Amino acid sequence: MQPEKNEKSSTRKCFCVLIYLVLLSLASFCWINLKRSRWHPQLTICDPQTKAQTDVSVSRLEHLPIASLESMLYEKPNALKPPRTDVLMLTPWLAPIIWEGGFNIDILNAQFHQRNVHVGLTVFAIKKYTVFLQIFIETAEKFFMVGHKVNYYVFTDRIKDIPNITVAEGRQLVVLEVPSYQRWQDVSMRRMEMIRDHSQQRFINEVDYLVCVDVDMKFSDYVGVEILTDVFGTLHPGFYGSSREHFTFERRKQSTACIPPDEGDFYYAGGYFGGTVEEVFKLTNFCHNAMMTDKANHIEAIWHDESYLNKYFLYHKPTKILSPEYLWDNNFGGRDFLKKRRFVAVPKNHNAIRNRRALNDYSRLRAKLKFLG
Ligand code: 48C
């Protein structure tokens, strides 16, 4: 009995040792993989679930296009010497302010051509303002986003008064028929609603960026892809040097456009804003809804759509700001800091326009100029 019993116990011992060795090798195999995976994520990991996730994320990244520019020669930027010291080049929230000398257009054009960017330029020519379209489009052909794809979106109530202008290759003139309003203030304010609705119905499928401007203007120097960003505003030419309390914000608490006297970064012009279609949709939707709330409460902000735009930009900061180079009135004359006048007001023949708006504008601009000293 004894030898048999010994034999059984030695077999049992061998079996236990074998199990122990298998478990040890399995544990060490997992430990090594876990350790190595920390440094080489593409390696397979014990847990099949984690492996699947890793594979997916790697494959999604692999399909990203590699953004690379062709070699080009230009002056080296100097990390210790800013291109300009006479003007503010960057806001406290790190949004560039766009001035001549502050950017290299060749680099920017290469970047935006690589993205095959398509830009929409919206302009409203309601009632007698159709008279401004010929100069507006002709000068845009010469100076606006030259070499890039551009859609001119002309909103009008007078289709037959739209001049027949042939635009260059890669550009198209789209005429959008919209209703007019009796009051010039309503014509101006309803632009927000119309840009919002058309952004949703059409622009989102046709262009990447929108630039939304007044029509009684002309381009007089280059306006290019340097202005493109998520969302931008433009410094009003009458207030770039004003202190905050001199900004003509809406101050009545009853209005949705109200800005308290101790708030405000800059005074933005109502006639020049833009950005991606998505961001312009959000901006115009906010402004339109704010206007409708005020209308229901029988109040209208002091400077109409411009007041609501300034309220929006106070709490939804622009990611770029255009300098007064991008919106100027030659009646103000020149300034040392104004190296370029890219987009300027067209002298209004009040009789031709027969619209109180022009006269009001003039008295308004004169009233504002007193702050310039
Ligand atoms: O198209 C019209 N028709 C009008 O009767 C009144 C305004 N407008 C649009 O709103 C034009 O696009 C104007 O440029 C804009 C309001 N802006 C101005 O009148 C001055 N540029 C401030």
Side-chain angles (χ1 to χ4, degrees):
M1 274 294 284
Q2 190 61 19
E4 201 175 281
K5 197 173 173 190
N6 282 344
E7 194 179 318
K8 272 189 182 171
S9 68
S10 61
T11 313
R12 194 175 301 122
K13 276 183 190 154
C14 289
F15 185 69
C16 291
V17 168
L18 189 63
I19 294 295
Y20 174 72
L21 288 176
V22 165
L23 287 175
L24 187 64
S25 56
L26 192 61
S28 53
F29 172 76
C30 284
W31 185 73
I32 289 167
N33 263 285
L34 213 53
K35 201 162 167 41
R36 285 177 61 194
S37 69
R38 209 169 300 149
W39 307 108
H40 310 284
Q42 74 282 9
L43 294 182
T44 54
I45 296 174
C46 284
D47 170 3
Q49 175 59 29
T50 313
K51 177 180 175 340
Q53 281 168 345
T54 307
D55 289 351
V56 165
S57 56
V58 168
S59 66
R60 203 167 61 229
L61 289 173
E62 276 161 359
H63 301 310
L64 290 176
I66 297 177
S68 68
L69 296 176
E70 298 298 318
S71 159
M72 62 168 74
L73 297 178
Y74 47 84
E75 191 181 337
K76 176 194 168 305
N78 182 329
L80 301 177
K81 183 176 178 298
R84 288 189 61 168
T85 54
D86 58 331
V87 291
L88 182 67
M89 301 289 282
L90 198 63
T91 70
W93 57 91
L94 301 184
I97 302 176
I98 315 301
W99 298 92
E100 179 65 11
F103 58 91
N104 180 317
I105 192 59
D106 296 326
I107 299 173
L108 291 164
N109 277 329
Q111 290 176 323
F112 280 92
H113 273 131
Q114 193 171 80
R115 292 163 50 183
N116 193 24
V117 73
H118 202 152
V119 181
L121 179 62
T122 72
V123 72
F124 287 73
I126 308 290
K127 296 193 279 192
K128 292 202 177 302
Y129 276 63
T130 49
V131 299
F132 293 107
L133 271 173
Q134 184 86 29
I135 290 179
F136 180 92
I137 300 289
E138 282 176 354
T139 55
E141 281 292 279
K142 200 172 163 191
F143 293 116
F144 183 77
M145 300 287 164
V146 175
H148 294 276
K149 293 178 190 166
V150 172
N151 284 11
Y152 298 111
Y153 294 117
V154 176
F155 294 77
T156 185
D157 59 329
R158 300 182 176 184
I159 300 283
K160 62 180 181 5
D161 290 356
I162 303 300
N164 181 17
I165 302 172
T166 304
V167 295
E169 189 188 344
R171 302 164 87 98
Q172 53 176 303
L173 180 59
V174 177
V175 180
L176 303 166
E177 186 164 16
V178 292
S180 79
Y181 287 83
Q182 198 268 322
R183 296 172 65 236
W184 60 263
Q185 297 92 333
D186 289 320
V187 173
S188 190
M189 289 192 286
R190 287 288 176 169
R191 291 186 290 175
M192 291 294 185
E193 178 185 33
M194 294 185 203
I195 292 172
R196 178 200 64 183
D197 294 347
H198 284 76
S199 293
Q200 192 168 26
Q201 295 156 13
R202 177 173 189 158
F203 300 160
I204 189 66
N205 301 319
E206 292 184 354
V207 295
D208 307 298
Y209 292 92
L210 289 170
V211 178
C212 309
V213 296
D214 281 353
V215 75
D216 46 345
M217 309 289 294
K218 68 179 179 181
F219 292 90
S220 49
D221 213 320
Y222 291 102
V223 173
V225 294
E226 74 275 5
I227 72 170
L228 301 181
T229 183
D230 281 356
V231 61
F232 71 81
T234 304
L235 297 183
H236 190 293
F239 291 91
Y240 56 83
S242 303
S243 56
R244 161 184 276 167
E245 59 272 14
H246 286 133
F247 289 160
T248 54
F249 292 142
E250 174 56 59
R251 303 292 189 186
R252 291 170 291 174
K253 288 186 175 54
Q254 303 88 323
S255 168
T256 56
C258 178
I259 295 180
D262 55 351
E263 291 188 47
D265 305 309
F266 302 102
Y267 190 79
Y268 301 98
Y272 205 141
F273 61 90
T276 61
V277 178
E278 296 83 350
E279 287 297 328
V280 170
F281 175 84
K282 286 153 63 175
L283 180 160
T284 51
N285 189 45
F286 170 90
C287 291
H288 177 64
N289 293 338
M291 284 178 218
M292 291 302 105
T293 301
D294 276 3
K295 186 179 174 67
N297 294 325
H298 310 294
I299 188 168
E300 184 175 281
I302 183 169
W303 291 113
H304 322 109
D305 38 307
E306 185 171 90
S307 298
Y308 297 96
L309 180 70
N310 274 276
K311 178 65 174 277
Y312 183 78
F313 276 148
L314 177 58
Y315 300 125
H316 309 80
K317 309 276 188 207
T319 50
K320 275 186 186 175
I321 295 180
L322 307 190
S323 69
E325 292 172 9
Y326 290 86
L327 182 59
W328 193 251
D329 186 327
N330 288 326
N331 289 304
F332 297 173
R335 297 288 185 284
D336 289 347
F337 62 77
L338 206 62
K339 310 298 183 197
K340 293 253 180 185
R341 303 183 201 183
R342 302 172 192 270
F343 191 51
V344 297
V346 168
K348 291 179 190 58
N349 173 340
H350 301 314
N351 297 330
I353 289 295
R354 276 194 224 97
N355 175 306
R356 278 201 315 282
R357 166 82 189 202
L359 291 173
N360 289 1
D361 266 351
Y362 237 87
S363 53
R364 168 183 166 199
L365 287 176
R366 287 272 166 266
K368 284 178 179 178
L369 279 176
K370 73 174 182 245
F371 298 123
L372 280 178

